[in-house]
Amino acid sequence: MEGGGGESQTKFNKYAAACAIVASMISIIFGYDTGVMSGAMIFIKDEMKIRDTQVEVLAGILNLCALAGSLLAGRTSDYIGRRYTIVVACVIFMLGSILMGYGPNYGILMTGRCVAGIGVGFALMIAPVYSAEVSSPSSRGFLTSLPELGISIGILLGYISNLIFGKLSLKLGWRLMLGIAAIPSLILGFGIVQMPESPRWLVMQGRLKEAKKVLQLVSNSTEEAEARFHDIKVAAGIDENCNEEFVKLPKNTNGEGVWKELLLRPTPAVRWILIAAIGIHFFEHAVGIEAVVLYSPRIFKKAGVTGKQKLLLATVGVGLTKFTFILISTFLIDRVGRRRLLLTSTAGIVASLTVLGSCLTIVEYHNGQNLLWALCLSIISTYVFVAFFNIGLAPVTWVYSSEIFPLKLRAQGYAIGVAVNRLMNATISMSFISLYKAITIGGAFFLFAGISVTAWFFFYFLFPETKGRSLEEMELLFTKGIKATNETLQHQPTARSDNV
């Protein structure tokens, strides 16, 4: 069956999938850097004799630097293109990994972490945007969620690296954990240049011949490619009948004036889109996932698990759970829909965090007693929390926010969302130890549960369903009321031809 404009709804374009997979590999390196730090911090603290406050700063500084990196990446990708922005991210990652692997003292280690953080900002911003721009509506959810799958793979590899290199000497082990990420960064940098540029960015530069050629590769038929090309030209303000190979466009196609349209004089629809994008990125980390990813060894220790190897082994379970449910979600997101997954996921997060907070409170109250049932339930509820988070909130955050902005505003609008994401990530990373010392570790997770309840209502009232919609239709969705958009979707199951 075909939708309007000749777009096939049943075929899956392998070339577009390959492009998205390669672009998403940068996320594996970022995920590795996040996961490996959870174990590396144990050994770094032992060797350098640093305080808990310094550990928090080391954990969170990456995300503060990523905030700056994501904002830089938005403008960079508008200027040099999506593909070369990924190359820049690879180079920055490589430099950061080398500095961290060298790490003779806390200062150099922090510098390397900051450099890597800028690379993280670039990677988180550009991979989903590139994937969204080469894919069609029928597979966009799947392809755009691949970066989040890459992060989960990286985190799992980081946990496994902790187990392997943790057996080496104190001086060598953690340095290998952190420094080895430079190798895949270098290899990926060379691989990225073999990929095509985003056809939408090419059209925005007036390079119509190149854009049409790429669309022929990522579409299932000539008719589909022509339909997509037509829609992108219209959205870019180019005459739909224009057959020139190159068209000179106004200067603002490189991103000038976007901030005014986003922040100073937004239309009602753009304002709603921006609030939705900022909100979902805020809540992704405000529910406390970073506390589990980075500090799971401490959580399990509080629950009663003893010994470094046992702690690291329990942490691998977190990584396996994350990978498994992210993988499942990639196949559900285009079938079930973004909204339903998001609401189900958030409800599960509320329940699991409430159980985890209760168990940790009981263990802390009965200090010194061996409560096996509470220990087991703490570990199980941690895994359930990770499962619910990764079946919905994690992938939908990146898919939803990368597809709802209009073409001209997409890169820099999405960059704002990523900046908020990194700010919240840094806030949780750098405050969790202080937080649980102030209100107990159980109290910290009760707080996260309360935030999750707020998130559920935010998503319910402000998020229309985008499944099956072309990127062209997003602004129209956010112009209507949420009830109207969801009812309309039920009566229009077949997406129109893909656009911007």
Side-chain angles (χ1 to χ4, degrees):
M1 182 177 67
E2 291 191 353
E7 179 178 357
S8 172
Q9 297 295 310
T10 58
K11 292 182 181 179
F12 185 78
N13 187 277
K14 294 179 181 178
Y15 190 85
C19 291
I21 290 170
V22 174
S24 302
M25 286 182 181
I26 188 72
S27 299
I28 297 178
I29 303 171
F30 158 56
Y32 175 86
D33 194 62
T34 300
V36 80
M37 185 54 75
S38 67
M41 285 190 297
I42 300 174
F43 303 102
I44 291 169
K45 185 177 181 182
D46 286 348
E47 182 184 339
M48 295 188 174
K49 310 299 180 187
I50 57 178
R51 302 183 302 276
D52 276 345
T53 305
Q54 290 175 296
V55 172
E56 285 182 317
V57 173
L58 182 63
I61 196 67
L62 176 137
N63 294 295
L64 286 179
C65 295
L67 186 158
S70 65
L71 293 175
L72 286 171
R75 185 60 182 274
T76 301
S77 68
D78 277 341
Y79 191 73
I80 68 172
R82 314 319 194 202
R83 178 178 57 167
Y84 286 114
T85 302
I86 300 176
V87 175
V88 171
C90 290
V91 172
I92 297 173
F93 260 132
M94 183 179 67
L95 294 175
S97 299
I98 291 172
L99 284 172
M100 287 190 292
Y102 172 55
N105 54 55
Y106 185 75
I108 298 294
L109 185 60
M110 281 287 292
T111 302
R113 190 84 168 144
C114 284
V115 173
I118 294 172
V120 166
F122 270 76
L124 288 176
M125 180 266 144
I126 195 58
V129 167
Y130 179 86
S131 299
E133 291 190 343
V134 299
S135 58
S136 58
S138 59
S139 59
R140 189 175 62 242
F142 173 77
L143 296 181
T144 311
S145 64
L146 290 179
E148 186 66 26
L149 178 62
I151 292 174
S152 67
I153 293 172
I155 289 174
L156 178 57
L157 291 175
Y159 290 156
I160 294 172
S161 176
N162 289 155
L163 273 176
I164 295 172
F165 294 120
K167 297 176 182 178
L168 301 177
S169 67
L170 182 62
K171 190 176 182 66
L172 180 63
W174 66 266
R175 288 182 170 85
L176 281 176
M177 293 177 194
L178 298 175
I180 200 170
I183 298 173
S185 299
L186 179 63
I187 296 171
L188 183 59
F190 285 107
I192 292 296
V193 296
Q194 306 301 318
M195 292 165 47
E197 183 51 81
S198 160
R200 289 171 172 86
W201 182 82
L202 290 171
V203 170
M204 290 297 289
Q205 305 309 303
R207 294 155 62 177
L208 303 186
K209 182 180 179 181
E210 295 173 63
K212 190 172 184 179
K213 184 177 180 181
V214 174
L215 283 168
Q216 293 284 0
L217 293 172
V218 298
S219 301
N220 291 313
S221 67
T222 302
E223 292 77 13
E224 179 187 335
E226 289 290 346
R228 295 173 71 175
F229 187 49
H230 169 273
D231 289 344
I232 296 170
K233 283 193 296 182
V234 171
I238 300 172
D239 186 344
E240 61 185 78
N241 298 314
C242 177
N243 292 314
E244 300 291 331
E245 294 185 0
F246 178 82
V247 176
K248 187 173 179 60
L249 295 174
K251 288 179 64 178
N252 63 8
T253 55
N254 282 328
E256 292 86 347
V258 167
W259 294 109
K260 290 182 181 179
E261 293 186 41
L262 277 171
L263 303 176
L264 300 181
R265 295 193 299 271
T267 63
V270 169
R271 186 184 297 113
W272 183 0
I273 287 170
L274 187 62
I275 290 171
I278 290 175
I280 195 169
H281 278 286
F282 171 86
F283 283 117
E284 185 189 17
H285 289 287
V287 300
I289 187 61
E290 204 64 19
V292 172
V293 172
L294 268 180
Y295 296 106
S296 50
R298 286 179 180 247
I299 295 169
F300 293 140
K301 188 174 182 179
K302 285 282 186 181
V305 179
T306 57
K308 286 182 181 177
Q309 287 298 308
K310 288 182 180 178
L311 287 172
L312 294 176
L313 190 60
T315 302
V316 170
V318 172
L320 281 171
T321 304
K322 180 175 177 61
F323 170 74
T324 300
F325 283 87
I326 277 286
L327 184 62
I328 293 171
S329 73
T330 59
F331 294 100
L332 292 178
I333 198 163
D334 282 319
R335 296 181 181 181
V336 176
R338 287 63 153 154
R339 179 179 165 87
R340 188 181 299 175
L341 272 184
L342 193 58
L343 294 175
T344 302
S345 167
T346 309
I349 287 171
V350 172
S352 55
L353 284 174
T354 303
V355 174
L356 178 58
S358 301
C359 291
L360 290 173
T361 300
I362 292 170
V363 169
E364 198 160 33
Y365 183 76
H366 294 84
N367 190 30
Q369 297 185 28
N370 184 18
L371 298 176
L372 183 60
W373 69 270
L375 165 62
C376 293
L377 198 53
S378 295
I379 295 175
I380 291 171
S381 57
T382 299
Y383 290 166
V384 171
F385 167 50
V386 173
F388 272 110
F389 178 82
N390 287 284
I391 198 72
L393 183 54
V396 173
T397 294
W398 302 97
V399 172
Y400 203 89
S401 57
S402 69
E403 66 187 2
I404 58 178
F405 285 100
L407 174 59
K408 182 182 174 183
L409 309 181
R410 183 172 301 132
Q412 295 184 52
Y414 185 69
I416 293 174
V418 175
V420 171
N421 187 285
R422 293 301 91 192
L423 177 62
M424 287 310 302
N425 193 312
T427 301
I428 301 300
S429 302
M430 300 175 76
S431 66
F432 179 66
I433 295 176
S434 301
L435 180 66
Y436 81 65
K437 285 184 176 180
I439 63 174
T440 74
I441 194 164
F445 284 103
F446 282 133
L447 175 62
F448 294 142
I451 293 171
S452 302
V453 172
T454 305
W456 191 92
F457 284 103
F458 180 83
F459 301 145
Y460 182 81
F461 288 108
L462 290 179
F463 279 53
E465 180 57 74
T466 59
K467 181 187 76 169
R469 297 286 190 172
S470 72
L471 298 184
E472 173 194 28
E473 295 176 276
M474 296 302 172
E475 197 167 355
L476 179 61
L477 279 179
F478 283 86
T479 302
K480 298 180 179 180
I482 191 165
K483 183 178 180 181
T485 57
N486 290 329
E487 287 177 352
T488 302
L489 181 65
Q490 292 175 2
H491 292 94
Q492 292 180 343
T494 302
R496 299 203 322 251
S497 63
D498 187 25
N499 188 21
V500 297

